Amino acid sequence: MGTDAAPVAEQVDVAALLADPYDTYDRLRELGPVVRVPAVNRYLVTGSAACRAVEADEVTFSADVRGGSATMARALGQRPMLRKDGAEHAAERTPINTPLRPKAVRAAWRAQFERNTRAHLETLRERGPDADLNRDFAGPLAAQNLVDMLGLPEATADELARWSLAFIAGIGNLQDDPEVWARSDDAQQEVDAHLEALIPALRRRPDASLTSALVHAGLDDATVRTDVKLIISGGMNEPAHTITAIVWALSDHPDQRDRVLADPAWWPRVVDETVRWQSPIGMYPRRTTRDCVLAGVALPAEAPLGVVVAAANRDPAAFDHPERFDITRGRRAHLGFGSGVHVCAGHWAARVAIGEVAMPLLYGALPGLRTDPDREAPWSGWVFRGLTALPVTF
Ligand code: HEM
C-alpha cells in the first residue's frame, strides 16, 4: 500500500455533529479511514481497522494527549490512568481488572444491582404519565450502582451524579472557564472528604470494592483519589445512556422487543448491539509520538487524533448494513468499549448491571414499556452521545 497525505474535510459543521453525527461520519469514512478535520482541529479516524491499529500500538499512539491531559489533571487532581501509557498505566489499571472480571462482578455486586434496580423501578412507576426513563430510572440507577462498586458507604447517588457531571465539565474545560473549575474543585474536595477516612480504613480491612483494589495496589493516596474520580466521571453516563438507548431502540423495533421478551437469553446481544449502534462514547483522543503511517495515511509527530469508535461501529467493511439495529447480527466485536490497553475497565460490570439485571427486571415489571410518542426524546452530543430525556409510557 502506498502512503498518502490525509484527505482534508473542510465542510464539517460542529453543530450538525452534535445534533446527529452519523451522516458526517459516513461522509468522512468515504473520504478515507483517516481524515484531517480543521473544524475540530484533529485527524479523525473513522475506519474500524484503523481504530484497532491505533489501539494496538500505544508507543506510537499515546493516550497522554496535549491539552486534554492538562484539563483532566486539573479536574481530577492529577493525570489518571486513562491519560497514561505503558508501565505507568498498567500499575493503575491492572489492580482493578481482578474485581471487574465477570465472576467477581456477579459475586460482589449482582445482588446490590438487583436491589438498586427494584428501588428505582418504584420511582419510575410512581411517576406514571410523567415518567422519564433517564431522570427517574437510568441515571439514578447507574449512579447508585457506581457508589456500590466504589464502596463509598456515606455517598448518595445524587452526590455521585453531581460529582460526575462536574468532573466531565472540567475534563472538557479547554476554554478555562473559572466557574467550571470551581465546580470540579468543589467536587474534588467532597470526594476527598469521603476518601480521607475510607482509605485508611480499607488499608486495615480490605473489601471487594474498586477503591479497595486501588488502595492495595501499592499506589500512593493521591493516585488512588484521582483514579476514583476518573471512575466517577466515566462510569455513570454511559450505562445510563445505554439503558435509555435500549428502550428507544426496542420501541422502534417491536419484532426484536418481542424476541427478547420471549427469551431473555437475548439480553446480552441487545446490550452489545445498542452500544455498537448508538455508541455512548463516540470519540476519544490520542497523540502521535512520531512520524508514522496509519491505514496508508502519513501522519506527522504530535498529531492530535480522534478515534471515532461510533463511526468505526458503522463501518460497512466491518458490519453488514451497519445502520440497522439488529440483535441477530453475528458476534463480530464492536469498538463501543474501546480496544487495546485502555479498553473499558467496566465493560463486564456494565453488561451484568444492564443486560443481566436492569433490563430483564425493567421489562419483567413493565412489559408494555415504550417511548411516549407525544413527548420529545432528544439525542445530544458526538464525543459523548445519549438521550438527555426519554419520556416513556407503560
Ligand atoms: C455501557 C457503558 C460503558 C461504555 C460504553 C464505556 C466505554 C468506555 C470506553 C470507549 C473507554 C475507552 C476510552 C479511551 O480509551 O479513551 C472506557 C474506559 C474506561 N471505562 Fe468505561 N464504559 C462504560 C461503563 C463503565 C463503567 C460502569 C465503569 C466503572 C466501573 C467504567 C470505567 C472505565 C475506566 C476506569 C476506563 C479507563 C480504562 C483505562 O484507561 O485503562 N466504564 N470506557
Side-chain angles (χ1 to χ4, degrees), residues 82 89 93 235 238-239 242 281 284 286 336-338 341-342 344-346:
L82 186 63
H89 164 258
R93 169 62 194 253
E238 292 73 27
T242 302
I281 295 187
Y284 53 77
R286 293 290 184 261
F337 290 111
V341 297
H342 292 280
C344 176

Side-chain angles (χ1 to χ4, degrees), residues 52 272-273 275-276 313 319 332-338 351:
R52 283 186 195 283
D272 274 281
E273 175 62 354
V275 172
R276 179 197 73 82
N313 282 337
F319 301 97
R332 183 164 185 154
H334 62 79
L335 289 165
F337 290 111
R351 288 183 171 110

Side-chain angles (χ1 to χ4, degrees), residues 55 63 72 80-84 89-90 92-94 96-97 100 105 109 113 142 145-146 149-150 210 227 230-243 271 275-276 278-286 307 309 334-351 353-354 384:
E55 294 310 320
M72 207 176 255
M81 68 173 89
L82 186 63
R83 292 282 158 263
K84 292 180 178 173
H89 164 258
E92 295 169 44
R93 169 62 194 253
T94 311
I96 59 169
N97 285 342
L100 286 168
V105 167
W109 301 304
F113 292 161
N145 285 349
L146 204 54
M149 283 191 273
L150 284 166
L210 298 181
D227 283 331
L230 171 74
I231 296 170
I232 290 174
S233 65
M236 189 194 80
N237 271 344
E238 292 73 27
H241 284 159
T242 302
I243 292 172
V271 174
V275 172
R276 179 197 73 82
Q278 296 290 345
S279 306
I281 295 187
M283 184 281 270
Y284 53 77
R286 293 290 184 261
V307 180
V309 289
H334 62 79
L335 289 165
F337 290 111
S339 69
V341 297
H342 292 280
V343 68
C344 176
H347 66 106
W348 280 114
R351 288 183 171 110
I354 301 170
F384 303 111

Side-chain angles (χ1 to χ4, degrees), residues 195-213:
L195 294 177
E196 196 173 300
L198 184 62
I199 291 178
L202 288 172
R203 287 212 190 280
R204 290 191 298 276
R205 282 181 63 147
D207 64 20
S209 69
L210 298 181
T211 310
S212 183

Side-chain angles (χ1 to χ4, degrees), residues 24-337:
T24 305
Y25 291 163
D26 288 347
R27 217 158 36 81
L28 294 177
R29 218 185 302 96
E30 276 160 23
L31 286 173
V34 184
V35 175
R36 190 161 69 78
V37 183
V40 297
N41 280 323
R42 341 182 143 258
Y43 293 83
L44 293 183
V45 185
T46 57
S48 178
C51 287
R52 283 186 195 283
V54 169
E55 294 310 320
D57 180 0
E58 62 170 333
V59 174
T60 309
F61 302 103
S62 170
D64 184 8
V65 297
R66 308 281 180 233
S69 284
T71 54
M72 207 176 255
R74 173 75 172 78
L76 304 182
Q78 56 183 45
R79 196 160 45 100
M81 68 173 89
L82 186 63
R83 292 282 158 263
K84 292 180 178 173
D85 302 316
E88 232 191 340
H89 164 258
E92 295 169 44
R93 169 62 194 253
T94 311
I96 59 169
N97 285 342
T98 310
L100 286 168
R101 289 197 186 112
K103 261 193 185 163
V105 167
R106 292 188 189 106
W109 301 304
R110 199 191 152 114
Q112 197 63 51
F113 292 161
E114 282 182 18
R115 274 197 289 280
N116 297 341
T117 304
R118 288 186 203 284
H120 289 98
L121 262 171
E122 280 318 302
T123 320
L124 183 67
R125 241 199 264 264
E126 281 161 17
R127 284 285 184 165
D130 292 328
D132 171 350
L133 194 76
N134 184 53
R135 180 196 60 199
D136 305 325
F137 181 80
L141 171 60
Q144 186 61 52
N145 285 349
L146 204 54
V147 167
D148 293 332
M149 283 191 273
L150 284 166
L152 301 173
E154 310 289 331
T156 66
D158 282 350
E159 282 175 319
L160 185 133
R162 185 163 47 75
W163 300 331
S164 187
L165 296 178
F167 291 146
I168 291 169
I171 290 165
N173 192 18
L174 294 166
Q175 304 77 10
D176 228 5
D177 179 340
E179 279 178 29
V180 172
W181 291 136
R183 280 207 302 281
S184 66
D185 289 350
D186 287 349
Q188 279 200 51
Q189 278 175 17
E190 289 178 41
V191 176
D192 287 343
H194 282 269
L195 294 177
E196 196 173 300
L198 184 62
I199 291 178
L202 288 172
R203 287 212 190 280
R204 290 191 298 276
R205 282 181 63 147
D207 64 20
S209 69
L210 298 181
T211 310
S212 183
L214 289 165
V215 164
H216 287 277
L219 305 170
D220 58 48
D221 286 6
T223 304
V224 172
R225 287 201 296 265
T226 290
D227 283 331
V228 166
K229 290 166 195 155
L230 171 74
I231 296 170
I232 290 174
S233 65
M236 189 194 80
N237 271 344
E238 292 73 27
H241 284 159
T242 302
I243 292 172
T244 48
I246 288 173
V247 173
W248 185 82
L250 292 181
S251 298
D252 238 23
H253 298 83
D255 49 331
Q256 299 190 56
R257 184 185 57 212
D258 292 349
R259 189 187 279 252
V260 66
L261 294 194
D263 179 3
W266 282 99
W267 278 119
R269 302 277 284 268
V270 174
V271 174
D272 274 281
E273 175 62 354
T274 305
V275 172
R276 179 197 73 82
W277 189 56
Q278 296 290 345
S279 306
I281 295 187
M283 184 281 270
Y284 53 77
R286 293 290 184 261
R287 169 180 63 89
T288 56
T289 56
R290 55 191 179 204
D291 293 354
C292 60
V293 176
L294 175 62
V297 172
L299 294 171
E302 298 302 320
L305 304 189
V307 180
V308 194
V309 289
N313 282 337
R314 301 272 189 112
D315 183 348
F319 301 97
D320 291 336
H321 298 293
E323 74 293 351
R324 289 188 194 158
F325 174 75
D326 178 5
I327 62 172
T328 68
R329 68 173 63 250
R331 278 177 184 272
R332 183 164 185 154
H334 62 79
L335 289 165
F337 290 111

